[in-house]
Amino acid sequence: MPTDCLSYQESGYFSTLITDYLNEKPELKALYHRFPNLENFKLQLEEKGNSFIGNDNFKREVLISVLEKQYESIAISKETKQNIQNLINPKTFSITTGHQLNLFTGPLYFLYKIVSTINLCKELKNEFSEHNFIPIYWMATEDHDFDEINYFNFKHKKISWNRESFGPVGRLSTDGIEDVFAFFESEIGLGNNAESLKNLFKKAYLEHNTLADATRFLANELFSSEGLVIIDADDADLKKSFIPYIKNELIHQTAFAKVNETTPLLESYSVQVNPREINLFYIEDHLRERIVFENGSYAVLNTKLTFSEEEILKEVENHPEKFSPNVLLRPLYQEVILPNLCYIGGGGELAYWLELKSFFESQNVTFPILLLRNSVLLATEKQAAKADKLQLTWRDLFLNQQELFNQKTKLLSEFTIDFSTQKEVLKKQFEELHKIAEATDKSFLGAVKAQETKQIKGLENLEKRLLKAEKRVHQEHLNRIISLQNELFPNQSLQERKVNFTEFYVEYGEELIEKLLKGLKPLEMEFEVVVL
């Protein structure tokens, strides 16, 4: 099978902002605290250890209490239980990833985020054995974009949960999801792994009342043996620690000012998220609406709720759970309540984190290390053997399809389909004509240039016609190449963004997770190819 590897930068699937971050471009260094390497983790440990201090370990005690309450209704592994208990220890720190509550995990990269987090904890434990490192999955229970999460793909079919949703998705009732299960059951087929998947879906979604509870059960079933700790931050006790920051946002609107100060540093990139004057929502079970300051009072959009400054500050004190941070304020909330060293996310997530460093500094909260999650291409042994037979590298298969088509046609051809040499010879001949024209009649110069352009263009057209002819000659071989690429890159996109884990689990079962845990190396920052 192919043995080559490629960096994220070489893959062609990441934005300029992320590739510049990975290349540690000097112009971006003001936007992050420390780059992810072991030496910097040592410094981060010291700084976070000094800053994450509550009265008599109060923050850690609250965190443990909330987690124990949230795990009451599901079986907990000894590894996860030990990790929760270890949180009381000042030498225990977290590595966190976050993700939406996608139906049955959504795209494959849900797994890659969590495995990256687990494996980084293992690597840090090997390096800093006197500390404990806890992998945390932060469930995005307060999101409201249900249309982004209400489906998953299985063998080119979209399996959707169609219902109305208002308010934070974590509180959404699982009533009516039986129809989704019935359709999935009819599609998945027979076999032990198929039965395991059906039971997993049934126990997660048919035996739990809310989407948050269902997602916690699902992630716990997949990763509890690795000690994964799952947190739902939509919790009154956790938000009590965040009250001072909620008040600051309402009264001083610091995030708006600080993020806008950062924007000029990102002017050559597409800014990921624009701040609002107030980056908070007001939430109840069936309500999640923005808070705005208008005409001297605070209002909740699309409702009749209004507050004076005194009233809204009292509401924060009495009901902090009703105040939900948006995408720009949520990172601060996370770092306030967790002893966290590093956030692991996709390119889009890291892009908005890079807007936040000066805001964190204004709040005296340590900015975490930012690590791009592992990206993975899953291939079967049969596909790897096919790549070998077709003399393809993994790097080849990441190419744009037209570029791959052209490159392989040129390699398969018995003669060179590249007239670069001829074009260079032609240009040198015309250099002499240019000199003659300039020395005799300069009006002749335009005619010489026009003739040069015409002849170069003629060679390029001949090159294209020859390439097209050779494509026809080697059509069968080229079709096999493109067929393999289409299998690995559905719709010419990354597999991890389209395919659900069930497509591989139904064939390989627990071996899928085992191979990911064995193969993913978060700090190497290479696009992993995992052969099943």
Side-chain angles (χ1 to χ4, degrees):
M1 70 181 69
T3 56
D4 62 311
C5 57
L6 73 164
S7 68
Y8 297 135
Q9 298 94 308
E10 294 169 314
S11 73
Y13 281 97
F14 293 89
S15 70
T16 304
L17 176 59
I18 296 305
T19 56
D20 285 351
Y21 172 66
L22 295 174
N23 289 330
E24 298 184 71
K25 191 173 180 179
E27 291 84 347
L28 290 178
K29 289 195 174 179
L31 301 178
Y32 60 92
H33 192 35
R34 294 187 175 99
F35 194 74
N37 58 49
L38 289 175
E39 182 181 348
N40 282 339
F41 271 103
K42 182 179 181 181
L43 299 172
Q44 193 78 10
L45 273 167
E46 294 170 359
E47 183 176 353
K48 188 68 178 185
N50 290 330
S51 67
F52 193 78
I53 299 171
N55 295 328
D56 298 322
N57 239 8
F58 175 71
K59 281 186 181 180
R60 290 179 180 271
E61 290 171 1
V62 170
L63 184 58
I64 292 170
S65 173
V66 169
L67 287 168
E68 288 177 341
K69 179 178 65 178
Q70 292 182 356
Y71 272 93
E72 279 178 350
S73 63
I74 61 175
I76 185 169
S77 70
K78 65 179 186 298
E79 292 86 358
T80 295
K81 185 175 182 179
Q82 185 63 58
N83 276 343
I84 292 173
Q85 292 173 347
N86 283 344
L87 283 166
I88 198 65
N89 186 337
K91 287 187 172 291
T92 296
F93 296 89
S94 62
I95 304 296
T96 301
T97 192
H99 198 67
Q100 295 171 297
L101 308 189
N102 294 72
L103 186 62
F104 218 34
T105 75
L108 272 164
Y109 65 80
F110 171 83
L111 300 187
Y112 306 157
K113 278 185 167 185
I114 292 177
V115 173
S116 299
T117 305
I118 290 167
N119 283 0
L120 179 58
C121 286
K122 293 176 180 177
E123 192 167 351
L124 292 175
K125 183 64 176 176
N126 286 337
E127 186 71 17
F128 309 106
S129 58
E130 70 276 19
H131 292 89
N132 301 311
F133 301 94
I134 312 301
I136 288 186
Y137 161 40
W138 178 290
M139 296 194 296
T141 54
E142 296 179 53
D143 281 3
H144 68 288
D145 295 320
F146 183 63
D147 289 344
E148 292 184 3
I149 66 169
N150 71 336
Y151 69 93
F152 65 98
N153 297 314
F154 181 73
K155 296 186 176 178
H156 309 294
K157 290 188 178 180
K158 187 176 181 179
I159 300 178
S160 300
W161 181 21
N162 297 313
R163 59 159 298 166
E164 288 189 329
S165 172
F166 305 95
V169 294
R171 303 183 191 183
L172 185 65
S173 167
T174 53
D175 289 345
I177 206 168
E178 295 87 354
D179 292 341
V180 179
F181 174 68
F183 183 74
F184 178 55
E185 188 177 31
S186 70
E187 291 291 323
I188 197 168
L190 304 174
N192 291 336
N193 292 333
E195 286 302 313
S196 294
L197 287 170
K198 285 187 280 188
N199 287 333
L200 182 59
F201 189 105
K202 188 188 301 183
K203 288 179 179 178
Y205 293 98
L206 303 189
E207 297 179 13
H208 291 88
N209 296 326
T210 67
L211 189 54
D213 289 343
T215 305
R216 182 187 297 107
F217 177 87
L218 175 59
N220 183 67
E221 285 294 300
L222 293 172
F223 293 107
S224 64
S225 63
E226 297 296 323
L228 181 68
V229 174
I230 303 155
I231 188 167
D232 178 0
D234 183 9
D235 182 275
D237 289 334
L238 291 177
K239 285 189 176 175
K240 285 176 184 175
S241 295
F242 199 57
I243 285 175
Y245 304 92
I246 296 173
K247 289 181 176 180
N248 177 275
E249 179 65 13
L250 290 166
I251 298 170
H252 301 295
Q253 300 167 19
T254 311
F256 181 73
K258 290 297 179 182
V259 174
N260 277 328
E261 285 176 13
T262 300
T263 300
L265 299 175
L266 290 162
E267 61 185 0
S268 60
Y269 307 99
S270 295
V271 174
Q272 187 70 12
V273 179
N274 291 310
R276 298 191 180 278
E277 287 83 357
I278 296 176
N279 294 279
L280 289 164
F281 291 91
Y282 191 85
I283 61 172
E284 293 175 340
D285 285 349
H286 303 289
L287 173 72
R288 185 179 189 261
E289 294 287 351
R290 283 175 48 214
I291 300 170
V292 296
F293 186 71
E294 295 177 338
N295 302 318
S297 64
Y298 295 87
V300 179
L301 288 181
N302 301 313
T303 74
K304 295 180 180 179
L305 291 170
T306 61
F307 303 88
S308 66
E309 181 178 301
E310 182 181 352
E311 288 169 339
I312 202 163
L313 295 180
K314 185 176 180 181
E315 183 80 346
V316 173
E317 284 289 345
N318 294 335
H319 298 288
E321 71 279 5
K322 292 190 176 186
F323 294 82
S324 175
N326 76 353
V327 66
L328 285 178
L329 209 60
R330 185 207 62 77
L332 183 72
Y333 178 35
Q334 171 190 297
E335 296 301 313
V336 166
I337 66 172
L338 295 178
N340 198 51
L341 300 176
C342 172
Y343 184 76
I344 297 180
E349 291 174 280
L350 264 55
Y352 68 73
W353 274 89
L354 289 169
E355 298 179 47
L356 298 175
K357 181 169 175 279
S358 65
F359 173 52
F360 268 70
E361 289 171 345
S362 74
Q363 304 301 298
N364 296 314
V365 176
T366 301
F367 195 66
I369 289 175
L370 303 178
L371 178 63
L372 187 66
R373 66 165 174 83
N374 279 109
S375 278
V376 180
L377 175 65
L378 293 177
T380 65
E381 287 187 354
K382 184 177 178 181
Q383 288 168 330
K386 191 183 292 186
D388 258 350
K389 189 174 181 181
L390 294 169
Q391 296 183 310
L392 292 168
T393 65
W394 296 125
R395 191 180 298 268
D396 289 333
L397 287 161
F398 273 83
L399 289 172
N400 168 277
Q401 193 158 98
Q402 192 58 51
E403 187 178 353
L404 174 61
F405 213 71
N406 291 343
Q407 278 195 17
K408 293 306 167 184
T409 301
K410 291 176 181 179
L411 283 173
L412 291 166
S413 179
E414 294 178 5
F415 42 84
T416 302
I417 311 177
D418 184 351
F419 291 173
S420 297
T421 302
Q422 290 84 347
K423 282 184 264 188
E424 285 302 315
V425 170
L426 192 62
K427 286 177 181 177
K428 286 182 180 178
Q429 290 174 342
F430 271 94
E431 282 176 10
E432 292 301 317
L433 288 174
H434 284 305
K435 291 176 183 177
I436 293 170
E438 288 175 352
T440 55
D441 184 355
K442 290 192 177 181
S443 65
F444 183 50
L445 191 59
V448 173
K449 287 182 178 178
Q451 189 63 30
E452 180 183 13
T453 301
K454 182 179 178 181
Q455 292 196 32
I456 294 291
K457 187 72 173 175
L459 281 174
E460 289 174 348
N461 286 335
L462 286 173
E463 191 176 66
K464 288 177 184 176
R465 290 182 66 179
L466 184 56
L467 182 63
K468 189 174 181 180
E470 284 297 288
K471 284 178 182 177
R472 288 195 296 270
V473 171
H474 300 286
Q475 189 69 50
E476 185 180 343
H477 188 99
L478 291 168
N479 283 345
R480 290 199 295 271
I481 288 174
I482 297 305
S483 175
L484 177 60
Q485 190 188 49
N486 286 339
E487 288 176 17
L488 295 170
F489 295 82
N491 300 321
Q492 296 181 46
S493 180
L494 285 181
Q495 175 195 75
E496 64 183 33
R497 298 176 187 171
K498 300 289 183 183
V499 179
N500 181 263
F501 85 101
T502 52
E503 288 192 29
F504 292 95
Y505 198 96
V506 75
E507 183 70 27
Y508 299 99
E510 292 182 5
E511 182 187 351
L512 170 64
I513 307 287
E514 291 167 2
K515 287 254 186 172
L516 293 175
L517 287 164
K518 184 178 179 180
L520 271 56
K521 299 174 178 61
L523 293 180
E524 288 190 3
M525 301 184 204
E526 290 182 343
F527 211 113
E528 302 282 356
V529 178
V530 174
V531 179
L532 298 167

